Amino acid sequence: MLREINFDGIIGPSHNYAGLSHGNLAATRNAGGTSAPRAAALQGLAKMRANLALGLVQGILLPHRRPDHGWLATLATDYASAPAHLQAQALSASAMWAANAATVSPAPDTADGRCHLTVANLVTMPHRSHEWPQTLAQLRLAFADPAFMVHGPIPAPFGDEGAANHMRLAPAHDAPGVEVFVYGERGGPFPARQHRQASTSIAGHHRLSPGATIFAQQSEAAIAAGAFHNDVVAVANEAVLFAHEQAFEHRDPFHAELRAALPAVEIVEVPAARVSLADAIASYLFNAQLVTLPGGGMALILPTEARDTPAVWGWLQELVAGNGPIRRLEVVDVRESMANGGGPACLRLRVVADPATIDPRFLVDEAKLAAIEAVVGEHWPEHIAPDAIGDPALIATIERGHRALLEALDLVGLIDN
Ligand code: SUG
């Protein structure tokens, strides 16, 4: 049976605040702060545990080997002699944001009836541009079953940031749906990270039906206000689109196209007069996970920051009191990830598939989460101060922790050198 499965990135032992993402206001604001990798990973695991308790199917993606020595070698350097900015780029734990791992088109949408995945090239930001090889290795293992087709990255310079700029709407997860690719053209002072060419190429590789595929431009105002991915201002689930009024550059034609392709669509829009773009971005209201509960109805899994922002929480209270499809609010604490601009939805990659077709090492239950928590508790550094990233003892701790996790999950083969 096809189910929606959320694959969360386990937050790696090198999680730190290096301020590497221009246009990501939280990451820039927290640059130079002291991170708490152990607390960060435990927060992510607690979110997965809460989602399991809601009756959802939960998967994992693994942290990458950091520092990325192979990448530094291609730059003719090594960790000890690299300048500080390259050290930070090689050490980044940014693979935790699994929404940027790949774009996924479930089997009911594709001409060959397979679930297609394209690994994201993430070429815009240097620290993320070297994620794809290790992500691809994981995707090829987790989705080795013939029910899936895993594609390599779209070539540079066409930036692709994966599912964070892609929404699927369908009457039900297992029914054919409409896929919306959101690209950027301008972002005021900030880069538009998703190139339209990357989106159209992915739709082609995934063998989507042109009549059920929409390309929509993200609004310049949203990118300029700090929404570096569409999933900071919009999220979809089944037939519901939950979005900020200023999310799309050409809102009315986009809504019309969506209604024509999926007459059952329900657009829940938050007016700028109620929640400003600034409040939406600071609170990550739209970076919630919008999920269908097994007993029916939908829930929003929101970061604590949404509860702490009065305009946002007030609007949400009215939303769940009304007659709409979203009836329940769940609040999770992912503050360590949020401080780098990654909310609950950034931390997960959604795949609609039969869980029986997935390598079980990438699925979790309570017991496996407890085993991962034990490894994190024993090995993840408690803190990383910005001036510590050159410390060989810290690097040895990070590498030991990563190996211990892969050993515990029987995935040590993913360590390539
Ligand atoms: O790409 N932050 C990530 C956050 C990604 C959030 N993902 C989604 N919206 N789906 C980014 O900007 C900051 C790392 C640092 O500065 O150390 C960072 O990469």
Side-chain angles (χ1 to χ4, degrees):
M1 193 183 72
L2 299 186
R3 299 277 308 266
E4 177 177 278
I5 309 166
N6 286 284
F7 290 83
D8 275 48
I10 296 175
I11 298 173
S14 68
H15 160 67
N16 72 98
Y17 298 125
L20 300 175
S21 278
H22 180 53
N24 171 339
L25 303 182
T28 303
R29 192 172 49 246
N30 290 302
T34 294
S35 67
R38 193 183 303 166
L42 294 174
Q43 287 167 3
L45 291 159
K47 170 168 98 74
M48 293 189 229
R49 198 182 284 286
N51 285 357
L52 275 181
L54 289 175
L56 307 175
V57 187
Q58 185 66 51
I60 47 172
L61 289 172
L62 286 307
H64 291 188
R65 181 163 193 254
R66 293 292 179 259
D68 190 339
H69 297 294
W71 182 67
L72 289 169
T74 64
L75 294 166
T77 188
D78 57 35
Y79 197 75
S81 37
H85 72 277
L86 272 190
Q87 286 185 330
Q89 289 166 1
L91 193 65
S92 178
S94 53
M96 71 174 79
W97 297 297
N100 305 118
T103 304
V104 185
S105 295
D109 300 355
T110 69
D112 60 1
R114 296 166 90 181
C115 174
H116 287 248
L117 299 96
T118 295
V119 70
N121 65 28
L122 293 163
V123 293
T124 305
M125 298 288 162
H127 69 290
R128 306 210 63 178
S129 66
H130 58 104
E131 282 177 36
W132 71 262
Q134 291 187 53
T135 302
L136 186 57
Q138 295 189 41
L139 297 179
R140 289 208 194 285
L141 267 189
F143 305 107
D145 189 276
F148 301 97
M149 176 79 198
V150 177
H151 301 269
I154 298 299
F158 307 113
D160 171 28
E161 306 247 334
N165 294 315
H166 173 259
M167 301 184 289
R168 173 176 191 258
L169 292 115
H173 289 312
D174 59 0
V178 174
E179 300 204 8
V180 180
F181 291 81
V182 184
Y183 61 92
E185 271 181 9
R186 282 172 300 279
F190 300 139
R193 299 202 208 172
Q194 183 76 32
H195 198 290
R196 188 186 161 104
Q197 182 61 55
S199 299
T200 56
S201 299
I202 292 167
H205 288 314
H206 289 195
R207 305 189 59 185
L208 300 178
S209 151
T213 309
I214 295 174
F215 300 95
Q217 188 186 334
Q218 191 181 3
S219 80
E220 177 172 6
I223 300 175
F228 50 93
H229 291 136
N230 173 65
D231 71 1
V232 176
V233 280
V235 60
N237 180 54
E238 294 189 324
V240 175
L241 170 65
F242 177 52
H244 191 270
E245 184 184 356
Q246 291 165 294
F248 305 102
E249 188 69 38
H250 308 289
R251 165 185 175 272
D252 295 347
F254 165 56
H255 283 184
E257 209 180 338
L258 187 55
R259 288 203 168 92
L262 187 72
V265 69
E266 264 188 85
I267 301 176
V268 180
E269 190 178 72
V270 182
R274 290 295 309 276
V275 176
S276 65
L277 264 182
D279 269 354
I281 291 164
S283 68
Y284 265 40
L285 162 62
F286 298 99
N287 204 259
Q289 288 180 248
L290 180 56
V291 295
T292 304
L293 299 169
M298 292 190 193
L300 272 175
I301 298 161
L302 295 145
T304 48
E305 287 78 353
R307 192 180 53 198
D308 298 342
T309 308
V312 167
W313 197 243
W315 191 87
L316 283 169
Q317 295 309 310
E318 287 175 33
L319 175 75
V320 290
N323 257 340
I326 303 170
R327 293 298 174 86
R328 182 165 166 181
L329 307 176
E330 295 286 325
V331 175
V332 292
D333 175 1
V334 287
R335 284 177 195 278
E336 280 288 315
S337 169
M338 282 287 287
N340 253 339
C346 300
L347 286 164
R348 63 93 176 93
L349 181 69
R350 285 185 287 189
V351 179
V352 171
D354 179 349
T357 58
I358 290 163
D359 184 319
R361 291 175 295 180
F362 290 88
L363 295 175
V364 292
D365 56 13
E366 290 276 342
K368 199 187 279 188
L369 286 179
I372 298 170
E373 277 161 358
V375 174
V376 166
E378 187 180 342
H379 292 281
W380 265 226
E382 205 168 342
H383 291 112
I384 298 183
D387 55 3
I389 70 164
D391 176 4
L394 172 70
I395 300 307
T397 302
I398 288 168
E399 292 185 326
R400 251 196 325 272
H402 180 249
R403 172 170 282 276
L405 179 66
L406 268 56
E407 279 169 359
L409 296 171
D410 190 23
L411 280 164
V412 84
L414 284 169
I415 300 175
D416 36 28
N417 49 28

